[in-house]
Amino acid sequence: MSLDLSNLNAALKDAELVRVEGHVQAVVGLAIQSLLPGVRVGELVEIERRGLPPLLAEVAGFRDQCATLLPLGPIQGISSQDRVRACGETLKITFGPSLLGRVLDGLGNPIDNGPALQGAPREVMRPAPSAFERPLIDRPLALGIRAIDAFLTVGSGQRVGLFAGSGVGKSSLLGQIARQADADVFVVCLVGERGKELVEFLEDALGPEGRQRGVVVCATSDAPALLRMKCAYVATAIAEGFRDQGRRVLLLMDSITRFARAAREVGLTAGEAPARRGYPPSVFALLPGLLERYGTAPVGSITAFITVLVESDDLDEPISDEMRGLLDAHIVLSRELANRGRWPAIDVLKSLSRSMQRVADGDHQKAAQLAREHLAVYESNRDLLAIGAYRQGSDRRLDAALQRIEAIERFLRQGAREKSDFAGAIEQLKKIVS
C-alpha cells in the first residue's frame, strides 16, 4: 500500500523550521536597525526589552544589510543588544460578530475593558477587489441629512470626501451620519485624534444606540506613526469582513490627512527623500491603494466618508488635491457658512457627487439643479443686495432667486439631532423650486 506524501511535502516546504533572530544594532529617531537575514518588508518582529513587555515592530525596509524596523509602541527601554525575533507573519485581527459595539486600538485590540474578541484571524493588508468584479453604483444611500440627500445624493459603495478646516463641524457631521444612515453596519476610524475626542465622539456623536451597530477603531495623536497608519488599515479590514457577509457597510474615517502625515513620518524615517511639500512619493502611492479597497463588490458594499483637513482653507494643498481625484464625491464645509450659524455648513455650490446621476431620477436632478442656480445667482449678487443697490425687476433670474432663497436656506439648515426623511426631503425641494 503506497502513501500519498505530496501534501506533507508541500507543507514541509512552506514551514519555517528556523526562527530568525537578531539584536538591536542602532536606534536613530524612531527607526530601529537590526540584522535579521531573510525577513520580509511588512513582517512583524518582537523586540525583547529587559524589565519591560516585548515591543512589536514592523519591517519597513533595509539599509546596509540591516532591517529598518518601525515600532508599534513606545520605544522607551530599548537598549543595544536587545534580542529581536521575527514573528514570521504580517498583522492580523480577530474578526467576528463580537466586534459590534466595541472600541479597538490601532492594532485591533479591545480598549473598552470588554471581554476578549471571538472570531477568526483576518489579514489586515489585503488586495482591493478587481475592477471587473465591481457592480455599478445604482442604489441611493439615505443619510438623513437634507443637504446631502437632496443636492449631493450618495450611492451605496461611493467614496465621499468631507473637506474642511479645523473647527467647522466635520466630526459632528460624521457622528450624525453614523446615527442616521440607512446602512447595516458602520465602522468609525479615528486617526491621530486627541484622547478626549474619542470619549466625546462615543458619548455625544454616537450615543449608546449608535455604538451597538458599529465598531470604533482609534489611534490617538500620541501613538507612533506606524500605529496611526495601521489604524486605517485595521478599520478597512473590519469593513471588508462585514462587506463579505453581504452587508452594506458605512466606513467613516477622520481623517485621511492625519493618515498621510503618519505615512510621511514612516517614509522619511525609512530613508525616503521628500517630494511634494515634504511628502515622500510613497504617500501618494498609499492613498489610492487604501481607497480602492472601498466601494462595491460581488456581495455587499463599503460606502466611505473620509474627512480631509484643509490647511488654511486651501483646497489645492497636496493631500486635498490628490484626494479630489481619487474620490467619487467631495463635500466642502465652509467656515463662512459656519460663522453665519448654518448647520451643517455644507457649501452646495462647491460640492459635487459624481454618482448622483445614476441614483437620482430626472425630476430630482432637475429640482436640485434649479435650486443650485438660484443659490449661485443669489451668492454672486450678495454684495449688491447688501448695499441696497438692486432694484426689483432688473434681473428676472435674480428676482426668481430672491423669491426662493429663504426657503432654500431653511431647507439647508438642520439640527444636529434632527433626522430627515429621504423621500420627504426630495419632495420638499421640488416644491421650493416649482
Side-chain angles (χ1 to χ4, degrees), residues 230-249:
K230 293 299 180 185
C231 177
Y233 290 112
V234 166
T236 299
I238 293 172
E240 288 172 330
F242 288 118
R243 178 205 64 194
D244 293 345
Q245 295 176 349
R247 303 197 196 189
R248 291 179 303 149
V249 183

Side-chain angles (χ1 to χ4, degrees), residues 192-207:
E193 279 285 5
R194 292 168 291 175
K196 75 180 191 67
E197 295 288 342
L198 172 61
V199 179
E200 290 177 0
F201 189 89
L202 292 174
E203 300 299 329
D204 299 337
L206 292 182

Side-chain angles (χ1 to χ4, degrees), residues 32-37 39 59-69:
I32 304 166
Q33 303 291 333
S34 178
L35 188 61
L36 291 168
V39 294
V59 180
F62 302 94
R63 182 183 298 174
D64 297 332
Q65 298 186 349
C66 279
T68 300
L69 314 177

